[in-house]
Amino acid sequence: MRLTSVSNFALLAGTVSAAVGDWQQCGGVNWSGETSCAAGSGCVKINDYYSQCQPGAAVTTLITSAEPTATATKTSAAAVPSAPAATGTPAGSGPGTTLQSGYYWIRAVAAPNFHNYMQTKPLYATGAALLGDYTTAGQFQVVDGQLVQLVSAPGAPVKLLYAVVSETRYINDNSLSVTFSTTKNTYGQFAWNGDGLTWTVAGITRPNAAAWYVCTGQQLYINLGNYLYQTPAGCADQTIHYYNDKTANA
């Protein structure tokens, strides 16, 4: 792994490129874009594959190597975004608001996120998995243990993003972030249990494989602990489920 401080990148990038704007991507595994944030902001690691410029955040160490390792810097709970993560250019034009054959909507079915749907922001872009309005719902499927998001238009060659689970623990040291990437997930496997979305990995026994947190900015995290027990401040316990009607609805 090659660890390079943001300050070192700033010395190089300052003379040849503009700083990364607030809430934009500034690092992560295989990230080849700019890494220096604007004045007053710091590059905060959300997970191994995604770091983001956040106003008032302290400068952290970026990971830009091809693969994460156990020495990756751990982000504290304070680094959870306070607004939905705005990310890079959409990876595709998207399938639209009519469900495509072989895919599902994924939504919550309990308060306070009743019928909020999984998506990224901007739509069809790499970045943190979120729950949002039904009008901007993404379309998903589980294929060979990978949770995939369809980002290509109807009739176009299939283009997918993959839900990547971070091995670094966040919030109360008991949750894992999920980020959509062009790179396949290598940590654990997704599956359907009935209509519920689950995640499992060797070496971790989860009390409830379908337990999730929805935290600040509507960001989704895998809850490694008990459902509805010692829920972190700013988060809500949630299970999320597929829905296969022709259109998403409230």
Side-chain angles (χ1 to χ4, degrees):
M1 169 180 288
R2 174 169 58 89
L3 297 178
T4 309
S5 69
V6 172
S7 58
N8 288 341
F9 269 91
L11 292 175
L12 297 175
T15 59
V16 296
S17 59
V20 179
D22 291 343
W23 308 114
Q24 301 296 310
Q25 186 170 0
C26 54
V29 172
N30 294 325
W31 173 247
S32 60
E34 301 302 329
T35 56
S36 179
C37 298
S41 297
C43 190
V44 174
K45 178 187 169 188
I46 304 302
N47 62 34
D48 291 331
Y49 292 85
Y50 185 75
S51 296
Q52 180 187 75
C53 288
Q54 295 184 16
V59 172
T60 62
T61 299
L62 295 184
I63 297 176
T64 55
S65 69
E67 296 295 337
T69 72
T71 57
T73 302
K74 181 176 178 180
T75 304
S76 68
V80 176
S82 58
T87 60
T89 303
S93 56
T97 56
T98 299
L99 190 64
Q100 301 302 298
S101 177
Y103 294 88
Y104 296 117
W105 316 110
I106 296 179
R107 67 183 186 180
V109 296
N113 294 290
F114 181 75
H115 286 190
N116 284 343
Y117 288 73
M118 185 181 283
Q119 54 197 263
T120 53
K121 186 176 182 180
L123 284 177
Y124 317 126
T126 57
L130 310 171
L131 287 185
D133 191 74
Y134 74 96
T135 60
T136 50
Q139 299 187 29
F140 305 88
Q141 183 54 281
V142 175
V143 180
D144 296 329
Q146 301 280 335
L147 175 62
V148 300
Q149 179 180 190
L150 180 66
V151 296
S152 50
V158 173
K159 191 172 186 180
L160 303 172
L161 293 177
Y162 301 89
V164 174
V165 179
S166 171
E167 296 187 46
T168 303
R169 296 194 180 199
Y170 297 89
I171 308 173
N172 288 8
D173 200 37
N174 213 27
S175 59
L176 304 175
S177 65
V178 179
T179 302
F180 280 94
S181 171
T182 56
T183 305
K184 288 185 177 182
N185 181 51
T186 59
Y187 187 50
Q189 290 194 323
F190 291 93
W192 301 116
N193 182 7
D195 64 359
L197 181 63
T198 67
W199 176 86
T200 56
V201 67
I204 295 180
T205 301
R206 299 182 63 196
N208 185 340
W212 295 74
Y213 287 137
V214 184
C215 299
T216 306
Q218 290 298 100
Q219 188 167 335
L220 280 163
Y221 292 84
I222 292 169
N223 172 14
L224 299 178
N226 290 291
Y227 188 73
L228 292 176
Y229 179 72
Q230 295 183 339
T231 306
C235 299
D237 287 279
Q238 197 68 65
T239 59
I240 51 179
H241 305 260
Y242 75 68
Y243 177 64
N244 62 356
D245 202 355
K246 183 177 179 180
T247 58
N249 59 64

